[in-house]
Amino acid sequence: MNRLDAAVIRQSIHPDTERRLEELEVFAEIDSTNTYLLQLPGPPPGMFRVVAADHQTAGRGRRGRRWVSPPGAGLYLSVAYSFAKYPQGLPALTLAIGIAVIDALDEFGVSGVSLKWPNDLVLDNAKLGGLLTEMQHEGRAAITVVAGVGLNVELPESHNVGLDSEWAQRATDLRQRVEVLPAKESLAASVVDEIAKTLADFERSGFACFAERWPSIDWLLGKDVLVEDEQRTIKGMAAGVDTDGALLVRIDNGQRCRVISGSIRLAGA
Ligand code: BTN
């Protein structure tokens, strides 16, 4: 297995991003790149801190799920960024980060990736990766977000992705899509560059400047879904997202419900 090389990632990062990169660390093994960054003080506003690893022993997914992260099988990377003040529509940030990762993949000829609201990267109706965006803001004026990206690059044959998810029964990886896999360092650098641009745009104008792109990458759009959260179960048709990134579900009486969290399944799946 080729180990990730921090110096090579740095060389591949765009100079505009590099100027705002406070620190970039690579670990052969770590519990979770998100957990690691959440334990550190946030970077100064406008600056980034990036951590990547070859292997995570306690990778985490949305809603307390595990993200199984075997050595060398995926890209496991997190970016910490501090906003000077609470940005407009912060809950929609995960969607914008998803668009950033989709754009990074496109640079390597991996097109047609969509996002299953709010954080699943989907290719050929199977899960290619996931996003985990977490906040760290206790007692400070600035708010630090940690955006974690897990991408399946080359899963072992026998790999049960262990997503513990009722939806993602099927996983896919980049190996199934491209003949020559990109170097993980190049992939990491592009993901960091795109996330850096996205965070700057989001800081300026929130989700508004991403909303136009959303319908073209919205995997759920027009599908019949079941949404479950602690309080309720909603059955209806996914109808895009609201201006703040909440999922819209059209129910039988024509009413549209807003969903801000919960697990989303395809009805009948
Ligand atoms: C999900 O699909 O529920 C989200 C998966 C996110 C996984 C990434 S891997 C890098 C970062 N560190 C973690 O522990 N999780 C995220």
Side-chain angles (χ1 to χ4, degrees):
M1 178 187 93
N2 285 337
R3 300 275 288 272
L4 267 176
D5 184 329
V8 177
I9 300 178
R10 250 186 196 276
Q11 281 157 19
S12 315
I13 281 179
H14 192 280
D16 290 345
T17 315
E18 163 76 28
R19 272 192 287 280
R20 294 192 292 144
L21 193 56
E22 193 200 40
E23 189 147 14
L24 184 151
E25 291 176 278
V26 168
F27 292 92
E29 185 180 287
I30 197 168
D31 52 356
S32 148
T33 53
N34 263 39
T35 304
Y36 177 75
L37 283 178
L38 285 169
Q39 285 161 357
L40 295 178
M47 300 291 284
F48 302 99
R49 187 171 291 148
V50 175
V51 175
D54 291 305
H55 176 202
Q56 293 186 122
T57 54
R60 295 185 294 110
R62 183 169 172 259
R63 297 171 68 79
R65 294 182 184 127
R66 288 177 307 140
W67 183 260
V68 178
S69 316
L75 182 71
Y76 318 121
L77 176 144
S78 301
V79 177
Y81 180 74
S82 299
F83 292 100
K85 62 179 181 46
Y86 196 92
Q88 218 183 316
L90 188 57
L93 181 62
T94 302
L95 310 184
I97 299 281
I99 294 175
V101 176
I102 287 173
D103 287 347
L105 287 166
D106 205 48
E107 291 163 27
F108 296 93
V110 183
S111 55
V113 179
S114 47
L115 202 67
K116 174 181 175 276
W117 186 94
N119 74 320
D120 291 319
L121 292 155
V122 182
L123 181 62
D124 300 330
N125 291 323
K127 182 148 172 165
L128 176 68
L131 313 163
L132 181 66
T133 309
E134 299 179 289
M135 316 292 160
Q136 182 198 59
H137 55 112
E138 294 99 69
R140 292 192 284 125
I143 169 157
T144 301
V145 295
V146 173
V149 180
L151 274 179
N152 300 330
V153 176
E154 197 169 18
L155 296 174
E157 289 284 307
S158 59
H159 186 58
N160 163 9
V161 180
L163 295 166
D164 293 350
S165 150
E166 69 298 320
W167 167 74
Q169 303 301 329
R170 229 159 65 73
T172 190
D173 60 12
L174 293 180
R175 155 66 64 223
Q176 296 186 43
R177 176 50 78 100
V178 290
E179 261 168 40
V180 182
L181 279 174
K184 279 216 204 100
E185 285 84 357
S186 315
L187 193 57
S190 294
V191 167
V192 170
D193 279 337
E194 292 298 337
I195 290 180
K197 280 192 253 166
T198 291
L199 287 165
D201 290 344
F202 200 93
E203 186 150 36
R204 259 192 310 275
S205 35
F207 187 61
C209 56
F210 302 94
E212 207 176 292
R213 287 274 309 277
W214 182 256
S216 64
I217 58 141
D218 181 358
W219 187 77
L220 287 175
L221 187 65
K223 293 188 166 88
D224 289 329
V225 292
L226 268 181
V227 182
E228 282 164 333
D229 65 19
E230 286 75 27
Q231 280 96 44
R232 59 185 181 169
T233 300
I234 304 169
K235 191 163 185 272
M237 192 187 78
V241 295
D242 214 341
T243 47
D244 60 354
L247 177 69
L248 296 172
V249 177
R250 195 182 301 279
I251 55 177
D252 275 349
N253 63 8
Q255 227 187 319
R256 280 192 317 181
C257 292
R258 282 169 46 83
V259 177
I260 42 186
S261 70
S263 88
I264 322 292
R265 279 192 288 138
L266 291 187

